């Protein structure tokens, strides 16, 4: 029986990019689901495939294999024309809000655009809604008349969020949405996002490389490594329950900032292997201090390790 609360289903999704005579395996066999009202965190080092996965879910990049279903509709096979109507269901918020603003467009116009384009409502009606949206994201209505350069990074990101929710999407994808902001603002914006997700009972994928921040605003976390999910678990019990040595290494990297500087902390060294080669063993084996012979020979599958907990490791913690 499919769970009625499940909104997004990602099933065995892979993406390969042709690179000269080779293939670059950006995302490999990724599966997970997101429920209504849930924020799922997606964490991993730069280049592990987070944005590629996000773009496939947003429909802006076709999958190589696999399927993605939103509210029971598999949209991976839709034609460009069919997808145009569907697209509004999934909105993205990016790291650099300024790049999506036109410098000569007032904030109000920017906020009105989606509703006018998709729903053909009048400009006046759209402008009234835009004022309400601004208040919803904690900005004064007067900002409708401002230009992008008159706003701070955090304020612009609030506007980008307001625009994303203007057409009532079912899913919000935030790709490093707080990454370019001052540390003091990051938490505030992240909190605003997840509060909106809860209030509107939509789904959200929150991508970041800051595990501490992602953990604090999500219910579940998927840890990605070299195009694959290596662990999936509850955010709340991340520290106690985590079993993958890579997750542990990411956590230790956070502790390095917060803990006693004299403590002996094993930081992650080296780099992930090349995504241009198919690895027969575990992709993390070369950097893993728990690596055994079988880890070099076979790749561990993501398997159940407890309730809401999946891990891909032969020698977990
Ligand atoms: N259009 C593309 N063509 C070729 N390779 C790409 C393309 N987009 C991304 N990649 C590669 O795919 C891998 C994953 O990239 P990306 O999804 O951007 O990672 P992340 O967002 O986690 O930093 C990287 O090795 C990157 O170089
Ligand atoms: Mg990225």
């Amino acid at each position: 029986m499919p769970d009625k609360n499940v909104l997004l289903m990602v099933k065995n999704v892979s993406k390969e990019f042709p690179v000269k005579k080779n293939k670059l395996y950006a995302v490999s066999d990724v599966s997970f689901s997101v429920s209504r009202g849930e924020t799922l965190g997606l964490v991993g080092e730069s280049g592990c495939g987070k944005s590629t996965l996000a773009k496939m879910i947003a429909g802006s990049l076709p999958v190589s294999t696999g399927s993605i279903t939103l509210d029971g509709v598999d949209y991976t096979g839709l034609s460009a024309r069919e997808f145009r109507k569907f697209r509004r269901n999934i909105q993205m918020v990016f790291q650099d809000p300024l790049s999506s603003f036109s410098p000569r467009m007032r904030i109000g116009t920017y906020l009105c655009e989606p509703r006018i384009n998709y729903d053909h409502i009048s400009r006046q009606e759209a402008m009234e809604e835009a004022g309400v949206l601004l208040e919803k994201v904690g900005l004064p209505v007067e900002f409708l008349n401002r230009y992008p350069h008159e706003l701070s990074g955090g304020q612009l990101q609030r506007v980008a969020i307001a625009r994303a929710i203007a057409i009532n999407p079912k899913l919000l994808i935030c790709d490093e949405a707080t990454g370019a902001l001052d540390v003091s603002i990051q938490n505030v914006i992240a909190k605003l996002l997840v509060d909106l997700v809860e209030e509107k009972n939509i789904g959200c994928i929150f991508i970041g490389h800051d595990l501490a921040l992602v953990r604090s605003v999500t219910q579940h976390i998927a840890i990605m490594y070299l195009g694959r999910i290596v662990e999936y678990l509850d955010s709340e019990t991340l520290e106690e329950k985590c079993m993958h040595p890579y997750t542990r290494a990411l956590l230790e990297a956070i502790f390095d900032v917060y803990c006693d500087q004299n403590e002996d902390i094993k930081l992650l060294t080296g780099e992930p292997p090349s995504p241009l080669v198919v690895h027969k063993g575990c992709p993390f084996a070369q950097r893993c201090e728990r690596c055994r012979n079988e880890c070099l020979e076979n790749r561990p599958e993501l398997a159940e390790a407890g309730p809401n907990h999946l891990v891909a490791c032969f020698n977990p913690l």
Side-chain angles (χ1 to χ4, degrees):
M1 271 279 282
D3 182 352
K4 279 219 182 75
N5 207 29
V6 168
L7 175 70
L8 178 80
M9 281 273 266
V10 176
K11 259 196 187 156
N12 309 110
V13 164
S14 299
K15 182 74 193 179
E16 291 132 32
F17 293 110
V19 180
K20 290 183 188 151
K21 280 184 190 151
N22 286 315
K23 271 183 182 171
L24 187 148
Y25 298 88
V27 173
S28 302
D29 199 21
V30 164
S31 301
F32 63 85
S33 65
V34 177
S35 299
R36 282 167 233 284
E38 177 191 348
T39 300
L40 169 77
L42 197 57
V43 180
E45 283 162 289
S46 175
C48 73
K50 303 181 296 295
S51 293
T52 303
L53 183 57
K55 285 178 202 159
M56 289 191 284
I57 296 170
S60 60
L61 190 69
V63 303
S64 295
T65 52
S67 70
I68 309 176
T69 313
L70 187 81
D71 238 352
V73 179
D74 178 354
Y75 57 96
T76 32
L78 293 184
S79 68
R81 203 166 138 250
E82 289 167 322
F83 186 71
R84 224 169 291 151
K85 273 182 260 163
F86 189 83
R87 149 169 272 148
R88 67 176 301 162
N89 291 315
I90 306 167
Q91 293 295 309
M92 283 193 76
V93 181
F94 297 98
Q95 176 165 15
D96 177 18
L98 203 53
S99 66
S100 52
F101 287 87
S102 151
R104 276 188 292 275
M105 192 187 277
R106 289 180 203 264
I107 299 301
T109 312
Y110 176 80
L111 282 175
C112 286
E113 260 189 349
R115 278 283 276 159
I116 293 174
N117 290 345
Y118 277 105
D119 301 317
H120 312 293
I121 66 170
S122 73
R123 198 184 144 74
Q124 192 193 339
E125 200 183 331
M127 201 56 90
E128 277 164 26
E129 282 187 14
V132 176
L133 280 169
L134 275 185
E135 287 183 329
K136 192 146 206 87
V137 297
L139 295 175
V141 182
E142 294 83 72
F143 274 31
L144 286 176
N145 291 316
R146 298 258 180 107
Y147 289 97
H149 68 265
E150 297 176 294
L151 272 62
S152 71
Q155 288 169 338
L156 276 177
Q157 205 56 305
R158 285 175 194 267
V159 175
I161 294 165
R163 179 172 150 125
I165 60 168
I167 45 173
N168 288 317
K170 292 176 180 170
L171 180 75
L172 202 59
I173 304 176
C174 308
D175 191 357
E176 309 267 4
T178 60
L181 303 174
D182 287 342
V183 178
S184 57
I185 314 279
Q186 287 184 6
N187 280 299
V188 181
I189 298 293
K191 184 81 179 31
L192 167 70
L193 269 166
V194 297
D195 284 350
L196 286 169
V197 167
E198 230 171 81
E199 182 197 316
K200 296 191 162 282
N201 201 32
I202 60 180
C204 178
I205 298 176
F206 190 89
I207 298 172
H209 54 259
D210 180 348
L211 188 53
L213 173 71
V214 175
R215 173 185 59 172
S216 71
V217 296
T218 56
Q219 283 87 55
H220 300 109
I221 289 194
I223 307 284
M224 270 185 94
Y225 191 82
L226 201 70
R228 295 177 186 273
I229 292 179
V230 295
E231 186 160 21
Y232 173 94
L233 71 175
D234 289 335
S235 309
E236 211 177 7
T237 51
L238 177 67
E239 274 148 277
E240 304 103 83
K241 298 267 172 74
C242 92
M243 288 169 75
H244 200 289
Y246 180 59
T247 312
R248 174 53 62 190
L250 289 178
L251 274 167
E252 279 168 1
I254 315 178
F255 291 149
D256 187 40
V257 180
Y258 296 114
C259 293
D260 182 0
Q261 295 293 317
N262 299 320
E263 228 176 286
D264 184 23
I265 289 156
K266 302 173 288 294
L267 281 180
L268 206 50
T269 52
E271 280 184 19
S274 165
L276 285 166
V277 186
V278 185
H279 305 272
K280 69 172 175 174
C282 171
F284 190 57
Q286 278 73 25
R287 299 166 88 188
C288 184
E289 39 179 48
R290 298 175 64 82
C291 175
R292 304 191 296 207
N293 275 344
E294 68 173 322
C295 308
L296 299 169
E297 289 305 315
N298 303 304
R299 190 169 39 74
E301 294 294 331
L302 199 56
E304 209 164 317
N308 272 332
H309 194 177
L310 301 165
V311 65
C313 180
F314 289 128
N315 188 20
L317 297 153

